[in-house]
Amino acid sequence: MPEENESYQRQRSRRTKLNRQIKNTIEKYKLNESDIAPPPPSIDNSKYDNAMDSIRAFEIEQMSYSFKFCKICKERRLEMKMSHTDICTRCHKDKHNVKMFSSSNNMDPGKLPMELQDLTIIEQQLISRLSPCINVHMLSHGGIASSGHCVTFPQEINEPAKIFPRLPQEIQIIKVKKQGKNETYREFRVRRIKVEQALKWLKINNPAYADIIISSNRLLHLPEDGELSDITTLQFQLDTPHNNDKGPSSEQIDIGVSEGFSYSTAQLPDSNTCIKEKVEKIVQDILGETQGEVSMNRQGTVTIPWPTRSDIPVSEFTTQHFFTLAFPALFPYGSGDFFINRPISITSMSDWAEHLLWYDDGRFAKHPYFKFVAHNMIMRKSALEKSSYIIKQKLGDNHFTISDLKKLVEKGDKSISQKILYFGGNLRGTTQYWGQRAKELRSLVQYKINEGMGLPSFFTTGSCAEFHFKALKRLLSMYVSQTMGSSIDLNDKNVLFRILQENTHTVAQYFDLRTQSYFKNVMGPVFGVDSYWYRQEFAKSRGMVHWHGLCWRSDREPHDLLNSAISSGLSDEQCA
């Protein structure tokens, strides 16, 4: 670290050590020298040289980050703490015979078989037994976001669907596309043989699919290789204005127009299928293949387990194999699901979801809406467990009981709804949560004042320039190589755009590490910051993270300087 008033000999020794560290880092991580910016020319200004050396150390640390893999939990995390070469600290500290996140505890979802690889979103919906409905949309410049609640409907009145695949008319979706240069239907592609192979594999290998009936007649309704017809399509222009927060400047995030169409989908609840209208169309097909659970009474009325969707949603918190039924392409063997029996129970859905997010092959992080469904359920589960209802009452009023509230509601007293407050201070992102964080910040400021450090010295902010960080591009190339076994060209804007969308967990984790490194290597040595507070936010129109912070300098500047200037009677212009 640069020292104040250091001698020429000391400065030369430090620079030699820094250059040696750079060389070792390049050799260790097999970097190109072009990946690290060349050092700026030295000038006769020690403060400038010290600042440049600190920035150089910051850049070197960025290029040293790497992914670690644990053979027990099978997580591949960025800068994961390891106790041994191939065992993470968490698994090493777990002294149980059956470790919490191990395959012995049914926490390993297993590798994807060839039959379930590369399924499009439509193909996955055709083979799913439950249908989670959640609003997922693409933001300006490619970010993906979710809003509203998640609800899951069974595909049959009393239980999940049994006859597969689902028919094209049962897949009710709206396709929203942005006009590009060339037509593409990659996300809406359906391959009949792919769907058939996936269902046959699941029936044999997945206990949650053992009782399904595969209908050859239904398979004939699917295209051999093409897009489903009669999909409702909405188009919007590239110059459609957005009133949301724009985030960083356009120069920072403008990556040009991607080739082809960019698609975003929203699955709509299927309309209930009338059994009487459908039974005659499929009875011959069902009876011709296998009787299964089909029955016929004396009047000739046929009863079959026709898949329809109930108006009453299933419980996401009690349905056995819930995630396997909704995402068979993620849980091929039924293991790894949150709602299954295991030797050691995992009570935290958040820990379970984070474990899957960093799973070996990265498929859970890449899935378009699994993370949104899981996050929505985590938030609602937390709301039920950690939040409370409070009734506003005047001083002297009798306390309300549950019985009193029921009577008022039964009498049609609507004023009671205005008296009930929902308090969720422990739920991240809520107004009450940030209200508590604001109180904590005010307490910190007051503490600093009482300790003689005064108010914060300055305000600082940083945003994620994910399209320009060389270190991030290196990490993404490394991650794709390790998880998919292939190399990619991130100089291609379309490829970079896609990889960033698929690996937002890596982008967010890297930016957090970068922020901590920035305060340690730059803000401290260069600006004299010894205390700081910051909060992370997401730009609404982009979905990428940025932060705002307050910093205190150890020398109390610029407060002492301003106090001295004002005490000396200097004018505002002279102070400036």
Side-chain angles (χ1 to χ4, degrees), residues 8-22:
Y8 172 78
Q9 187 67 29
R10 174 61 180 164
Q11 187 183 58
R12 183 176 179 181
S13 174
R14 179 170 52 79
R15 282 181 172 264
T16 300
K17 182 179 180 181
L18 183 62
N19 289 331
R20 192 184 306 116
Q21 183 182 359
I22 293 172

Side-chain angles (χ1 to χ4, degrees), residues 17-84:
K17 182 179 180 181
L18 183 62
N19 289 331
R20 192 184 306 116
Q21 183 182 359
I22 293 172
K23 183 179 179 181
N24 293 338
T25 301
I26 291 175
E27 292 176 353
K28 180 179 179 180
Y29 297 103
K30 299 178 181 179
L31 306 175
N32 296 320
E33 291 193 20
S34 59
D35 290 336
I36 300 179
S42 180
I43 63 175
D44 189 18
N45 186 316
S46 60
K47 288 187 177 181
Y48 173 84
D49 287 344
N50 291 346
M52 292 300 103
D53 289 346
S54 297
I55 294 173
R56 187 77 168 162
F58 167 73
E59 292 174 341
I60 292 172
E61 185 167 294
Q62 301 306 296
M63 302 304 292
S64 69
Y65 296 148
S66 62
F67 290 92
K68 306 291 195 313
F69 177 75
C70 175
K71 68 178 183 180
I72 295 179
C73 62
K74 296 187 178 179
E75 291 182 15
R76 190 180 303 277
R77 285 179 180 258
L78 180 59
E79 288 297 286
M80 181 163 59
K81 295 181 179 180
M82 308 293 288
S83 291
H84 299 283

Side-chain angles (χ1 to χ4, degrees), residues 141 250 252-258 467-468 493 496-497 500:
H141 298 287
S250 58
Q252 181 183 3
I253 60 176
D254 185 12
I255 62 167
V257 179
S258 300
F467 296 106
H468 304 284
K493 291 182 178 179
L496 177 60
F497 180 83
L500 286 170

Side-chain angles (χ1 to χ4, degrees), residues 152-192:
T152 304
F153 294 89
Q155 300 284 22
E156 195 175 4
I157 292 178
N158 295 319
E159 54 186 319
K162 289 185 179 180
I163 302 179
F164 283 92
R166 298 175 66 191
L167 293 175
Q169 57 264 35
E170 296 170 359
I171 304 293
Q172 294 193 9
I173 62 172
I174 292 179
K175 177 171 64 177
V176 183
K177 65 182 181 181
K178 178 176 65 177
Q179 185 68 41
K181 293 183 179 180
N182 300 309
E183 177 79 26
T184 178
Y185 54 86
R186 181 180 68 252
E187 291 149 346
F188 297 91
R189 180 186 183 188
V190 173
R191 295 156 293 180
R192 183 190 302 166

Side-chain angles (χ1 to χ4, degrees), residues 143-333:
I144 300 175
S146 172
S147 61
H149 293 292
C150 170
V151 63
T152 304
F153 294 89
Q155 300 284 22
E156 195 175 4
I157 292 178
N158 295 319
E159 54 186 319
K162 289 185 179 180
I163 302 179
F164 283 92
R166 298 175 66 191
L167 293 175
Q169 57 264 35
E170 296 170 359
I171 304 293
Q172 294 193 9
I173 62 172
I174 292 179
K175 177 171 64 177
V176 183
K177 65 182 181 181
K178 178 176 65 177
Q179 185 68 41
K181 293 183 179 180
N182 300 309
E183 177 79 26
T184 178
Y185 54 86
R186 181 180 68 252
E187 291 149 346
F188 297 91
R189 180 186 183 188
V190 173
R191 295 156 293 180
R192 183 190 302 166
I193 187 65
K194 190 73 175 176
V195 173
E196 182 179 6
Q197 290 174 348
L199 287 171
K200 287 181 176 178
W201 190 95
L202 286 169
K203 183 175 177 64
I204 295 172
N205 298 279
N206 194 316
Y209 274 72
D211 61 340
I212 68 170
I213 300 172
I214 302 174
S215 168
S216 59
N217 182 267
R218 282 175 158 254
L219 285 167
L220 292 176
H221 284 77
L222 303 181
E224 290 187 4
D225 188 350
E227 184 175 358
L228 291 181
S229 59
D230 301 327
I231 295 180
T232 304
T233 303
L234 299 178
Q235 296 191 50
F236 67 94
Q237 301 297 324
L238 292 174
D239 57 355
T240 301
H242 295 275
N243 296 322
N244 289 334
D245 171 27
K246 298 299 181 181
S249 63
S250 58
E251 291 80 6
Q252 181 183 3
I253 60 176
D254 185 12
I255 62 167
V257 179
S258 300
E259 292 291 335
F261 288 93
S262 294
Y263 290 107
S264 178
T265 65
Q267 185 179 0
L268 301 179
D270 292 347
S271 56
N272 289 331
T273 303
C274 178
I275 295 179
K276 291 182 179 180
E277 293 177 359
K278 294 291 184 179
V279 65
E280 294 297 333
K281 295 181 181 179
I282 66 162
V283 65
Q284 293 301 323
D285 174 62
I286 298 300
L287 292 176
E289 290 184 337
T290 177
Q291 287 285 339
E293 296 185 20
V294 178
S295 61
M296 184 178 297
N297 61 20
R298 294 179 180 179
Q299 287 74 31
T301 303
V302 179
T303 303
I304 60 170
W306 182 266
T308 181
R309 176 172 281 173
S310 171
D311 289 330
I312 303 175
V314 300
S315 171
E316 295 96 333
F317 303 123
T318 59
T319 302
Q320 188 81 347
H321 284 290
F322 170 83
F323 286 98
T324 302
L325 297 172
F327 302 98
L330 296 181
F331 301 90
Y333 303 94

